[in-house]
Amino acid sequence: MNPRTKTVLISATLFVLTLVFAGIVFFPYYWMIVSSLEAASLFEWPPRLVPSSVTMEAYVKIFTERDVFTWFKNTAFVASTTSVFCTLVAINGGYALSRFRTHATTAFSIFILFSQLLPATLIVVPLYVIFRQTGLYNSLIGLAIADAAFVLPLATWLMKGFFDRIPVEVEEQAMVDGCTRVGAFYRIVLPLALPGLVVVVAMSFITGWDEFFLARTLISSQSNWVFSVGLTSFETQYSIAWDEMMAAAVVFALPAVFFFLFVQRYLVSGLTSGAVKG
Amino acid sequence: MKRAFARRFNHPELLPLWLLTPASVVLIVILIWPIAQGILLGFFNTRILNYKAGRFIGLANYDVLLSDPFFWNSLKVTVYYGVASMSCTYLLGLSFALLLNRSLPLRGIIRTIFILPWAVPEVVAVLIFIWMLDAQYGVINYFFVQAGFLDAPVAWLAEADLAMPALVLITSWHQFPLALLILLAGLQTIPREEYEAAMVDGAGALSRFIHVTLPGLRSVNVILILILILNSFRRVTMIYAMTGGGPARATETLSILTYNTAFTYQKIGYAAAIGTVLLLILLAFSLVYFFTIIQTRRGV
């Protein structure tokens, strides 16, 4: 065999291998979608890998017989509140970290690293007590504030990264032209950082959207359930309505997946704190 | 007056302070204050029903903890889960990163498919896997029986020695894209010339991997392995939704033990003590980890 054919053969084998792995990795997604569309043949052995018939029954059912609308509304509220609140706070903190070297910024940077060590369960136990005492328990606003605090370190760090890419000369010029320091930041720098701002908005939105653990602990009444908590309620006394559960899972996952694919690149550079370029 | 205020507000020493105030307030109220409270609670016998009035009992919680077999079990489970999920996640991430780090038809689409698992909310990932692992109709049982790994379907999440492998499976499925993206970025920083030089020296694929790729990934590995271990020690949602720590406490990591002690057994004070030990372990681990790395770097 000549070396050229050998190279082509190796490339082709690796390509096929990649496709096979991609198929395996994608299979759980496929199975979620197929299970949500297949009512009749769901409980069969052996399982049908390709559905015999397709129906939207489960989707109709979850919207008519379950509280999916309430969960959707609550989740959207929590996610947007988390997102707005977290972004507003992160913009200012991120700018300070990017442009100043003082004791305050150093201390804050160290705390951001430290926060990556804090076990969520140790926070949530006293947080539960604090929320009970302050009346934030079982309130969607309270949940959104907690969610925002949990993403804030990462959001601030990401925002700092985006400000770092804007040259300082931009503000200096604006200040020569008569802007104050703060004015230069809000009027000149912030619009330039808009793409980064969008990433932080989307990332904190997803965090609020996906969050389960805090919602499970800090929310008690069923009317305040968010989607992630509602999803786990499909177990009835006798069986689990898997087709409905998978249909609800698709509805819940869709916005999250969409936003996530958009922010994933930036997430990596944020998580590794600039150790690698994402 | 207004000008004096503006000048003070814009002062280079004070402005960062103003800008950091909102973030600091949020973090103090929701993270630092509860952590301090949590450490304090560990010295009280607080229970959920009397959450306002616990009694100070000194180190009694820690005394109980040291002779609590569930705590020691949990510590073992935490290490098992941490090492197993980190290794599987890392190996999957590295293999796929190597496959993707070449010119490939449809590279963009394939890359997106490989990232998809990470995009799905953890609860959804858990539900899909509970369904796929179902003892009666689970498709994973079907594949394993077909492939001859199993004689008959098994109840993965009900068997003490199968629940953990199932948990590691779902964790690595959901988390490997993080490793993949970080390693891919790392691979792209290795200069092509180094591979070419190795090829000129007659190095085979394996030798190039050992002498060029692995050393090139060194700094990325350091941070990635730390992230994976810390995340596995702190992970709650996935384990809680998947097994709740069961069966027979086979998947009860320290994070889950803390949660169950507080909200199932309603012993808040004791739970806080367990959580504090977990925090100390995370701190000690990180310090030792960085210390060792700095030492070996100096040695080289």
Side-chain angles (χ1 to χ4, degrees):
Chain A
M1 206 190 304
N2 72 44
R4 199 174 146 68
T5 352
K6 200 180 159 196
T7 323
V8 172
L9 215 62
I10 290 177
S11 291
T13 318
L14 285 177
F15 180 60
V16 171
L17 202 65
T18 313
L19 287 184
V20 170
F21 282 132
I24 295 174
V25 161
F26 187 72
F27 184 79
Y29 261 94
Y30 169 78
W31 201 239
M32 164 173 73
I33 296 163
V34 163
S35 302
S36 75
L37 292 173
E38 166 185 45
S41 53
L42 196 59
F43 296 105
E44 261 182 29
W45 187 266
R48 280 174 198 276
L49 295 183
V50 180
S52 51
S53 63
V54 165
T55 156
M56 297 297 279
E57 223 172 276
Y59 288 88
V60 176
K61 251 192 187 160
I62 56 165
F63 279 103
T64 51
E65 291 171 20
R66 309 257 182 187
D67 293 333
V68 167
F69 276 121
T70 316
W71 304 340
F72 208 94
K73 201 185 70 203
N74 290 342
T75 311
F77 174 77
V78 170
S80 344
T81 313
T82 303
S83 177
V84 171
F85 186 56
C86 176
T87 310
L88 286 179
V89 176
I91 291 170
N92 295 293
Y95 184 75
L97 293 187
S98 168
R99 291 299 195 254
F100 298 95
R101 285 283 162 281
T102 67
H103 292 302
T105 57
T106 313
F108 200 86
S109 305
I110 292 172
F111 179 74
I112 287 186
L113 288 177
F114 178 67
S115 71
Q116 300 301 308
L117 290 179
L118 302 178
T121 39
L122 179 57
I123 298 173
V124 92
V125 173
L127 198 61
Y128 170 84
V129 176
I130 294 168
F131 271 37
R132 287 295 287 259
Q133 286 169 340
T134 53
L136 284 171
Y137 183 68
N138 195 26
S139 103
L140 292 173
I141 292 268
L143 177 59
I145 292 174
D147 283 350
F150 273 80
V151 261
L152 190 56
L154 182 59
T156 310
W157 201 249
L158 278 178
M159 215 54 236
K160 170 197 183 293
F162 290 117
F163 286 129
D164 282 346
R165 290 182 205 166
I166 299 168
V168 191
E169 288 77 33
V170 173
E171 290 120 286
E172 283 168 355
Q173 186 56 46
M175 281 158 75
V176 169
D177 293 345
C179 252
T180 60
R181 194 81 179 77
V182 179
F185 165 35
Y186 286 118
R187 277 187 230 138
I188 313 292
V189 181
L190 202 52
L192 288 174
L194 196 66
L197 204 66
V198 175
V199 169
V200 171
V201 167
M203 193 209 53
S204 40
F205 185 88
I206 302 172
T207 311
W209 183 270
D210 289 5
E211 210 287 323
F212 167 78
F213 172 58
L214 292 171
R216 171 95 238 158
T217 315
L218 301 176
I219 296 293
S220 59
S221 72
Q222 212 161 322
S223 59
N224 277 348
W225 271 2
V226 291
F227 218 128
S228 59
V229 175
L231 255 187
T232 54
S233 72
F234 277 73
E235 248 167 299
T236 66
Q237 208 178 337
Y238 306 103
S239 67
I240 303 175
W242 282 112
D243 51 337
E244 292 174 41
M245 196 194 250
M246 289 297 122
V250 171
V251 172
F252 174 53
L254 223 55
V257 171
F258 176 76
F259 278 113
F260 191 89
L261 290 179
F262 164 70
V263 301
Q264 39 94 7
R265 275 167 203 275
Y266 307 97
L267 211 54
V268 169
S269 58
L271 282 172
T272 51
S273 314
V276 287
K277 288 201 209 86
Chain B
M1 174 67 195
K2 201 180 167 198
R3 178 165 293 183
F5 173 77
R7 199 178 305 139
R8 191 166 296 167
F9 192 83
N10 284 293
H11 188 280
E13 273 295 319
L14 291 179
L15 183 59
L17 218 55
W18 301 133
L19 292 173
L20 283 172
T21 302
S24 307
V25 168
V26 174
L27 292 179
I28 287 170
V29 171
I30 306 288
L31 298 183
I32 302 179
W33 175 241
I35 281 285
Q37 285 275 304
I39 295 170
L40 266 178
L41 267 174
F43 301 110
F44 285 78
N45 69 346
T46 312
R47 303 177 70 95
I48 265 195
L49 291 173
N50 67 343
Y51 63 89
K52 280 178 187 157
R55 192 164 49 81
F56 182 77
I57 51 168
L59 288 169
N61 281 330
Y62 291 92
D63 199 32
V64 175
L65 189 95
L66 287 178
S67 53
D68 183 349
F70 295 143
F71 168 73
W72 293 105
N73 166 65
S74 203
L75 196 61
K76 253 191 296 179
V77 170
T78 309
V79 174
Y80 176 16
Y81 175 67
V83 172
S85 66
M86 185 272 284
S87 322
C88 292
T89 309
Y90 181 83
L91 287 177
L92 281 179
L94 181 62
S95 323
F96 295 155
L98 290 171
L99 282 177
L100 284 182
N101 190 36
R102 20 188 311 122
S103 56
L104 214 62
L106 308 172
R107 192 165 178 276
I109 297 172
I110 294 176
R111 186 179 180 278
T112 307
I113 291 179
F114 276 112
I115 294 165
L116 276 177
W118 198 20
V120 84
E122 278 184 53
V123 179
V124 172
V126 166
L127 295 178
I128 299 174
F129 272 79
I130 294 181
W131 169 224
M132 293 204 311
L133 290 164
D134 190 80
Q136 253 182 306
Y137 306 105
V139 68
I140 289 184
N141 275 326
Y142 171 72
F143 285 143
F144 279 15
V145 170
Q146 288 290 309
F149 295 143
L150 289 175
D151 295 329
V154 292
W156 289 89
L157 299 178
E159 307 251 353
D161 41 348
L162 292 180
M164 185 54 98
L167 193 62
V168 171
L169 174 75
I170 178 183
T171 307
S172 27
W173 180 75
H174 192 262
Q175 293 290 307
F176 84 80
L178 165 71
L180 165 70
L181 289 179
I182 292 179
L183 289 166
L184 203 54
L187 285 175
Q188 277 155 7
T189 61
I190 303 174
R192 191 173 280 268
E193 295 79 50
E194 287 192 21
Y195 285 103
E196 282 160 5
M199 275 167 104
V200 170
D201 292 346
L206 184 66
S207 161
R208 286 198 303 267
F209 176 72
I210 292 172
H211 296 293
V212 181
T213 311
L214 282 185
L217 288 177
R218 218 189 130 93
S219 61
V220 170
N221 281 341
V222 166
I223 194 87
L224 174 60
I225 288 171
L226 183 69
I227 291 178
L228 291 178
I229 288 274
L230 294 184
N231 281 353
S232 76
F233 280 22
R234 301 184 311 153
R235 182 161 295 122
V236 212
T237 297
M238 201 174 266
I239 309 178
Y240 180 78
M242 184 93 165
T243 63
R249 297 181 184 252
T251 55
E252 195 173 54
T253 61
L254 284 171
S255 279
I256 297 295
L257 180 65
T258 306
Y259 191 83
N260 284 345
T261 307
F263 297 104
T264 309
Y265 304 108
Q266 316 210 334
K267 295 184 218 166
I268 290 190
Y270 189 46
I274 300 170
T276 306
V277 171
L278 175 59
L279 175 64
L280 291 176
I281 291 175
L282 288 166
L283 263 177
F285 176 80
S286 310
L287 288 177
V288 169
Y289 185 85
F290 276 118
F291 187 70
T292 320
I293 281 162
I294 290 166
Q295 286 292 65
T296 50
R297 285 243 167 114
R298 271 203 202 123
V300 170

